[in-house]
Structure formats: C-alpha cells, structure tokens
C-alpha cells in the first residue's frame, strides 16, 4: 500500500494541537491530501491539508494522537488515503483505512484506490430520468426514487429508518442484481453492530459492504469515511457495471465532522459556526453519486435536521442535492401503519407527468387529495362522530382509510418478528390497487382485508377466508366521540 520510494522522505513533528499536527520536511514537501504515518508500527495516520511555507505542512490526524511529541519522525507514504476495492470486499465490514472490523481474516485479491476521485464528467453522465423501483408501494406510488439520484430519509429514533433501509437493500440485491454499500458516518457502535447482525439474519450480507467511521473517532476519520465508501461504490459501477445502492447514515454528521476539521485548522467560521467551505465539501461528495453510461449509484441518505429548523445551512445545502424526500411519521408508526411514511409530507422531483406518465401522476395527486381531505375531517369526526358527516365526506373517509391500509406492506426483513410473509409489489400492481380503491370497488370490504397485503387481489382472497365482522372497525377517538 505504501510507495517504497517515499519512505525515505521523512520529516519531524513541530507541534501538536489536538488533532492538528505541524510537521517539517527538509527534502521534499508532501502534496496536499498525502497520507503520513508516525509511531513504531505506523499506528498514527495524518492527512496533509495545507502547506505553511517551503518546509512546513499542517495535517489533521485520522487517528488519536496519544504518544505523538515534538521531534517524532514522520514518514510520507507517497500517496493519499486509499480504500480497498474488488469482489472480495463483499459481505465485509471496514473502517476508514480499509481495515476489516468484523473479526474475520483480511480479504485477499483486493486493489487499493485513492479516496479522492473527481465526479464523472458531464459527457459520461446519463441524461435519462429513470425511476428506481423499490417494490415498496407507498414509495413507488407517491415519492418515486430516481435511478442514480439521491433521496433523503427524515425521521427520529424508532420510527423504522433502519428497517426501511434494510428492506431496500434486500429488494435491491434480490431483484435487481445490485450491490449495496452502507456507510455509517459518526454512527454509534451499537447501531453498527445491530445492523450487521440484522443484515446477516435477513440474508442480504453476501452482496453488501459496510464502512463505518464511529462516533468516538477523530473528526478527520469521520470526514473521510464517506469518500472511502464512494470509492468502493464507483468500483462496482465503473468496473463491474452493476447498479449500486449507497446508504448513508447520517449525512449531517459528515458536515459536522467537516465543521470540526475546519475549526481545528483555524479557518474563520461562517454562518451559525459552519465551515466556510461547507457547500464545496458536500458537493465533492454528492456529485460523485451519479448515473453514468456504465451503471448508477443511487443514494438514500438519512438526514438529521438540527432543532427541526429546515432553514439551517446544513439542511439547506443537503436539500439542494436531493431528488426525493421521504418523511417518517411517529404518529403513523404508533397506529401500526408500516412503513410509517407520511404520504403528505414526502415528495419527489420524479413525480411529474413527463417522467412517471399521466396515469401515475393523476393517481398520485388523487391519493394525496383524498388523504388530505381525511386529515382535515379528523377533527370533526373526533368531536361529532362519523355519522354527522355528509354521505360524500363519509365516502372520502372510507376511501382514505382503505388507502392508508393498502399502502402498508409486510417486509421480508421483518418476517421473523411479524409473522407476515414479505411482499414485493410491482409499480403496476400498486397503481392498479390504488385506482380500484378510489373507484370504491372495496367499499364493502372490511379495512382489515387491505392491511399488510401485497397486491390488491390478496384482499379478495383475505375476505373470502375471513369471517364476516359485525361492525366496521373505527378508531378509539371516533368511538369515544360517538358515545358522548
């Protein structure tokens, strides 16, 4: 991995301030982004970020700097930070340096590539807008993802972000012959370990790579882990010509790590303390996620919004790169409507007649309208009861409640917990089901017949096998209101 000619290029440490290290080189100054090593067994790694004068450089440590002192010898590796690529990296878990962290032997037959690559040129990019089918009804119908695009996943703890990501990995691998790469930026070690076990149990690990920069690692390491994951993704796209699903959790922590690095390097902070180069740094990462003539990297990124303030510079910059926003709702999760995606808050730039087609667009608009009307009527139902609504409004409520249940779906990755067999639903079946519900074909069906099913035909089978209920199930709030 190290360039043997560069080993002779040695320098010494001049000063150490936290993660910032100043070094002096008398022979040859290492270029920007060079990786330098220190310590008896090269356990301390430093990346050069600026050249101070003819003999001094300033770098940021990617590892803890304990034991580093003035006069310590620094060795130039002769190249930048590199990530491992090749078929052998599949089903493995790596850190930012490409070391395996899954307690298994290091993979053989791998190649090492620089993590600093330029985005694909405009000439190589595909200009065709294609839909990335996930097999998940509510996403494909209401916020379709773009192949080679970037989608943001907004949600708090415990509403099903990881389950949704795991299901997308399962569908991508099983039905699109793709590769999934999970990049944990500033992840808690607990989350990483749980995810690894979940992926193993769900059987999706053989076509997946996991890269982690944990929360306790220095900012330099967390800042580079996204670049390392992208280098692996680019190998599968450009060399293997396969579609790649890149999952990033959490993109805000990448910006946060950049802010720490910038502050340590002594740069003047910008608005709200963010680094002045935030836009550039985020673009250098995001622009590499692209759809080219050889394949596509489709990215789904979890986004933390500081204090729910969508005008925060971090949120604003991330939004400008996204082609779809999927919002998870705690209220829907508490009602058992999984996946707990809020259909009214989620949106996609793909949902236009020119891309998804007139029928799909008109249906999506009609579904949103019906669900929005139901949302407006909920207060009246809670106060006066369902009987006080006009016959037309009652029909709207019936349609909306059946749509909500039809848009739930059993996942393959949760079979062992729910007892429901996982379902993959094609876009055509999803649209057909929604259209038939909107035409009131299922008004005499109990709502439970539409809950946790795949395509709409299953509701017909379910109704035949279920005993006929005496009364229609109504929410507790409506039930209470009717008896007051």
């Amino acid at each position: 991995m190290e360039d043997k000619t560069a080993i002779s290029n040695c320098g010494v440490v001049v000063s150490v301030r936290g993660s910032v290290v100043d070094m002096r080189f008398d022979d040859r100054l290492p270029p920007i982004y060079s990786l330098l090593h220190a310590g008896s067994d090269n356990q301390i790694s430093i990346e050069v970020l600026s050249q101070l004068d003819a003999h001094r450089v300033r770098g940021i440590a990617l590892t803890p700097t304990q034991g580093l002192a003035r006069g310590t010898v620094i060795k130039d590796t002769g190249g930048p930070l590199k990530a491992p690529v090749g078929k052998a990296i599949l089903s493995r878990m790596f850190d930012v340096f490409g070391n395996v962290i899954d307690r298994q032997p290091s993979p053989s037959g791998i190649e090492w590539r620089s993590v600093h690559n330029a985005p694909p040129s405009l000439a190589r990019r595909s200009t065709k807008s294609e839909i990335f089918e996930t097999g998940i009804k509510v996403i494909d119908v209401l916020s379709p993802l773009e192949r080679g695009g970037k989608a943001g996943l907004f949600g708090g703890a415990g509403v099903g972000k990881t389950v949704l990501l795991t299901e997308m990995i399962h569908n991508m691998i099983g039905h699109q012959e793709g590769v999934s790469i999970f990049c944990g930026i500033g992840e808690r070690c607990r989350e990483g370990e749980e995810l690894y076990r979940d992926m193993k149990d769900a059987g999706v690990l053989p076509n997946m790579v996991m890269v982690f920069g944990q929360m306790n690692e220095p900012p330099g390491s967390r800042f580079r882990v996204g670049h390392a994951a992208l280098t692996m993704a680019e190998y599968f796209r450009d060399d293997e010509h396969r579609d790649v699903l890149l999952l990033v959790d959490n993109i805000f922590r990448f910006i946060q790590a950049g802010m720490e690095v910038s502050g340590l390097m002594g740069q003047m902070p910008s608005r709200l303390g963010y680094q002045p180069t935030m836009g550039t740094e985020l673009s250098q990462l995001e622009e590499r996620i692209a759809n080219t003539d050889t394949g596509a990297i489709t990215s789904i990124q979890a986004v933390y919004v500081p204090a729910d303030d969508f005008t925060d510079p971090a949120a604003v910059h991330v939004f400008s790169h996204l082609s779809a926003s999927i919002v998870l709702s705690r209220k829907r999760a508490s009602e058992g409507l999984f996946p707990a995606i809020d259909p009214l808050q989620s949106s996609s730039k793909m949902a236009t007649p020119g891309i998804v087609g007139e029928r799909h667009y008109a249906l999506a608009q009609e579904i949103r309208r019906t669900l929005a009307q139901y949302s407006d009527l909920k207060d009246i139902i809670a106060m006066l009861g369902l009987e006080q609504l006009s016959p037309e409004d009652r029909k709207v409520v019936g349609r909306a409640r059946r749509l909500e249940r039809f848009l739930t779906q059993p996942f393959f990755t949760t079979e062992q917990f729910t007892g429901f067999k996982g379902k993959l639903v094609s876009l055509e079946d999803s649209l057909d089901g929604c259209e038939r519900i909107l035409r009131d074909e299922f008004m005499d069906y109990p709502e439970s017949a539409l809950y946790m099913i795949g395509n709409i035909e299953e509701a017909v089978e379910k109704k035949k096998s279920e005993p006929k209920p005496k009364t229609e199930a109504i929410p507790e709030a409506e039930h209470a209101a009717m008896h007051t």
Side-chain angles (χ1 to χ4, degrees), residues 129-380:
S129 289
E130 288 180 74
I131 297 297
F132 174 81
E133 267 196 52
T134 62
I136 298 167
K137 290 181 281 194
V138 65
I139 294 177
D140 289 345
V141 173
L142 295 172
S143 5
L145 306 186
E146 180 185 8
R147 182 174 174 267
K150 295 167 272 276
L153 193 57
F154 303 84
V159 290
K161 279 203 302 287
T162 306
V163 173
L164 195 56
L165 291 183
T166 317
E167 184 70 7
M168 285 186 187
I169 292 167
H170 179 280
N171 295 355
M172 169 81 177
I173 289 166
H175 307 276
Q176 304 207 12
E177 276 72 62
V179 177
S180 292
I181 294 177
F182 185 92
C183 174
I185 304 177
E187 278 285 280
R188 297 168 188 86
C189 56
R190 169 184 62 79
E191 292 172 341
E193 195 268 339
E194 278 176 11
L195 190 75
Y196 182 78
R197 259 184 309 140
D198 290 347
M199 298 298 172
K200 204 168 185 176
D201 294 345
V204 299
L205 209 52
N207 276 309
M208 187 175 177
V209 187
M210 298 171 94
V211 194
F212 281 99
Q214 278 173 217
M215 214 171 230
N216 62 317
E217 290 180 26
S221 170
R222 283 179 276 129
F223 188 56
R224 286 286 173 240
V225 73
H227 298 92
L230 259 166
T231 302
M232 296 174 184
E234 286 165 344
Y235 162 80
F236 287 110
R237 180 191 66 192
D238 301 336
D239 295 37
E240 301 261 331
H241 296 192
R242 292 168 82 174
D243 279 0
V244 183
L245 180 63
L246 175 69
L247 303 147
V248 183
D249 189 8
N250 189 304
I251 200 68
F252 172 76
R253 295 192 199 129
F254 166 76
I255 293 171
Q256 211 170 24
M259 180 164 64
E260 288 180 53
V261 169
S262 171
L264 288 166
M265 292 297 289
Q267 291 178 353
M268 182 74 76
S270 178
R271 194 157 78 88
L272 296 186
Y274 286 104
Q275 64 272 41
T277 51
M278 174 169 61
T280 313
E281 287 166 1
L282 188 64
S283 301
Q284 282 170 347
L285 189 76
E286 297 277 14
E287 287 298 301
R288 286 168 67 180
I289 301 167
N291 188 356
T292 68
D293 43 14
T294 55
I297 299 176
T298 304
S299 173
I300 297 166
Q301 306 170 6
V303 186
Y304 167 69
V305 182
D308 291 337
D309 175 17
F310 284 87
T311 63
D312 187 273
V316 170
H317 278 84
V318 172
F319 268 124
S320 65
H321 291 280
L322 300 178
S323 54
S325 304
I326 298 166
V327 181
L328 291 167
S329 147
R330 193 170 299 282
K331 189 170 179 297
R332 290 178 73 80
S334 67
E335 289 170 7
L337 300 172
F338 290 105
I341 294 167
D342 189 323
L344 298 176
Q345 282 189 285
S346 304
S347 62
S348 169
K349 288 179 184 170
M350 294 287 102
T352 61
I355 296 170
V356 296
E358 292 287 348
R359 176 180 173 241
H360 183 163
Y361 176 75
L363 261 175
Q365 293 298 91
E366 181 63 27
I367 292 163
R368 281 182 200 278
R369 200 176 302 117
T370 306
L371 293 173
Q373 281 176 278
Y374 175 45
S375 182
D376 292 342
L377 291 168
K378 273 181 181 172
D379 289 344
I380 300 169

Side-chain angles (χ1 to χ4, degrees), residues 36 68 70 123 149 218 239 319 328 476:
L36 313 176
L68 205 58
R70 267 190 209 166
D239 295 37
F319 268 124
L328 291 167
E476 285 178 30

